[in-house]
Amino acid sequence: MAKLSVEDLVVAYGSVTAVRNVSFTVEDGEFVSLLGPSGCGKTTTLRCIAGLEGSSAGTIRIGGEVVAADGRDVPPEKRGINMVFQSYAVWPHMTVFENVAYGLRTRREPAATVDAKVGEALKMVGLDGFAARYGTELSGGQQQRVALARAIVTSPRLLLFDEPLSNLDAGLRDRMRFELVALQRRLGQTSLYVTHDQSEAMLMSDRIILMKDGEMIQSGSPRDLYDRPASRFAAEFIGNANILQGDIVRAASDGRALVSLADGLTIEGLFSRPEAVRVSGAILVCIRAESIQRMRDAEDGPNAFDAEVTSASFLGPVVTCLLRIGGLTLRAELPARTAPAAGETIRVRIEPDAVTLIPNG
Ligand SMILES: Nc1ncnc2c1ncn2[C@@H]1O[C@H](COP(=O)(O)OP(=O)(O)O)[C@@H](O)[C@H]1O
Ligand SMILES: [Mg+2]
């Protein structure tokens, strides 16, 4: 196991710069995700760390050892890493046992060691009893488990994952997320995971690195990114956010402010981060759909509004409503038990601490 550090990584393909000065670390035993929309440079970053792609500039260290820097490029097989891909890359003409044993055989490990390690890895991924099956006799989920067993069997210093669950059906994908994290925790395996799926990154990661257009936008724990987005992009990419334009009316010294919205409405909120604090001017107001709460009809208080329900869609645990408040339309997720029907006028409030003020632009 080992720490990964990436410093000022740049990858250019001709005139396209796919990765721009990306720097981050993954601590020993940590699970970190690179999250961002398709084309933002996640795979390129991962492939550079694996040694499958050359970098234009920057330094990559695994366990303190420089594996990529100007003039030095350690080949993939000498980096002590394993990678799990979206396409399972399970060899169909080999048995499950041989698929998993491959990496150990290339190291010429004794047969008894290979038997023991492969058995252990198959047990870890829940494929006990599948050793003799051929790749062609496995479902997608089972193939992904084989790929996982193959990645962990050689006890690499670092595991790299590139959207490994994207090809699975929704139900299996959800289960595999939990299983994969449980396995990673058991092994204490340093892991870097690439996904474009924000809920996957939230569920699995100790830390998330949010990327856009080849750059790192923000990094932090799932909760930090969710509660304290530093930009409109972060607020919109993670969770369901209503983003409104506002103007600061009055700012307090404790990071709170009163903000005017369209149509003479005002709302109290909290700046997302110290560096976001402003005393005047335009600001963005972020209200999570689940932060809007229904109140009793005549109840009052800060950030209480009358809202007309223009649509209400039942989703099981919640009802997603579109609310007209003055001239604004907000999306709200209300508990199904007490949810209104379309056409009703209801009273709602939003906790001032749940109204996040972020810089405009
Ligand atoms: N071999 C390549 N040649 C030219 N451009 C590439 C190559 N690989 C990736 N790119 C470009 O680099 C950018 C980042 O790609 P990628 O890392 O695959 O993004 P992601 O994994 O986040 O979807 C994209 O604009 C992509 O088109
Ligand atoms: Mg990719």
Side-chain angles (χ1 to χ4, degrees):
M1 249 76 67
K3 172 177 168 166
L4 165 70
S5 98
V6 175
E7 251 171 72
D8 293 322
L9 181 67
V10 178
V11 185
Y13 299 110
S15 62
V16 178
T17 306
V19 178
R20 299 164 190 271
N21 294 94
V22 163
S23 299
F24 64 90
T25 58
V26 181
E27 299 298 327
D28 199 16
E30 202 182 15
F31 192 112
V32 172
S33 290
L34 297 179
L35 172 67
S38 172
C40 74
K42 306 179 298 291
T43 293
T44 306
T45 303
L46 207 68
R47 287 174 58 85
C48 279
I49 296 165
L52 301 171
E53 198 79 60
S55 54
S56 310
T59 306
I60 300 172
R61 288 186 182 82
I62 299 173
E65 178 201 352
V66 175
V67 296
D70 309 309
R72 181 165 170 76
D73 216 357
V74 176
E77 66 278 9
K78 298 246 164 69
R79 293 193 180 196
I81 51 112
N82 270 332
M83 193 154 163
V84 183
F85 300 91
Q86 181 177 350
S87 62
Y88 320 115
V90 167
W91 296 299
H93 57 284
M94 282 191 199
T95 62
V96 166
F97 185 94
E98 286 307 324
N99 264 281
V100 178
Y102 186 82
L104 299 170
R105 295 221 194 282
T106 58
R107 289 195 205 162
R108 304 192 183 288
E109 298 216 13
T113 313
V114 173
D115 278 357
K117 286 187 175 174
V118 172
E120 177 74 8
L122 289 178
K123 200 185 288 175
M124 284 274 193
V125 301
L127 282 184
D128 251 359
F130 283 77
R133 291 257 193 121
Y134 279 87
T136 48
E137 300 169 336
L138 300 172
S139 71
Q142 289 164 342
Q143 289 183 53
Q144 194 51 277
R145 285 169 201 267
V146 172
L148 199 56
R150 194 169 53 191
I152 61 175
V153 76
T154 54
S155 306
R157 300 193 288 183
L158 177 64
L159 270 181
L160 303 173
F161 297 93
D162 193 357
E163 315 242 9
L165 306 181
S166 300
N167 280 348
L168 303 178
D169 296 338
L172 180 59
R173 186 165 64 227
D174 189 55
R175 235 179 315 133
M176 285 294 285
R177 290 171 178 168
F178 286 98
E179 281 189 30
L180 210 155
V181 170
L183 179 66
Q184 188 270 343
R185 295 274 183 265
R186 265 202 316 279
L187 298 171
Q189 178 74 63
T190 311
S191 302
L192 183 63
Y193 191 97
V194 159
T195 180
H196 67 276
D197 184 314
Q198 53 104 4
S199 50
E200 188 157 300
M202 296 275 285
L203 190 147
M204 299 181 74
S205 316
D206 296 316
R207 216 147 41 80
I208 296 174
I209 295 164
L210 185 61
M211 291 182 69
K212 182 193 176 203
D213 298 336
E215 288 180 290
M216 275 177 66
I217 296 292
Q218 193 177 350
S219 78
S221 67
R223 168 147 285 207
D224 189 41
L225 255 71
Y226 192 81
D227 286 346
R228 291 151 35 84
S231 60
R232 179 184 197 125
F233 175 76
E236 286 183 329
F237 200 79
I238 299 180
N240 279 320
N242 297 285
I243 309 275
L244 309 170
Q245 300 277 350
D247 270 291
I248 298 168
V249 177
R250 197 168 61 236
S253 56
D254 62 353
R256 278 158 220 283
L258 182 69
V259 176
S260 68
L261 304 170
D263 285 341
L265 295 170
T266 59
I267 194 162
E268 284 178 37
L270 184 64
F271 287 101
S272 62
R273 318 181 74 81
E275 64 272 22
V277 170
R278 306 280 186 277
V279 293
S280 65
I283 195 94
L284 294 174
V285 176
C286 166
I287 302 169
R288 298 283 180 198
E290 71 281 10
S291 302
I292 300 177
Q293 298 171 315
R294 190 170 182 185
M295 307 168 74
R296 277 193 296 278
D297 284 347
E299 223 174 316
D300 212 0
N303 295 350
F305 304 99
D306 285 327
E308 185 197 339
V309 181
T310 57
S311 80
S313 312
F314 179 73
L315 293 180
V318 296
V319 171
T320 294
C321 299
L322 291 181
L323 304 177
R324 288 294 291 165
I325 301 178
L328 301 170
T329 297
L330 296 188
R331 176 173 168 164
E333 285 180 356
L334 300 172
R337 283 176 298 105
T338 56
E344 276 186 66
T345 295
I346 60 172
R347 192 81 179 149
V348 297
R349 75 180 293 252
I350 307 139
E351 276 288 339
D353 282 6
V355 176
T356 308
L357 308 179
I358 53 185
N360 196 354

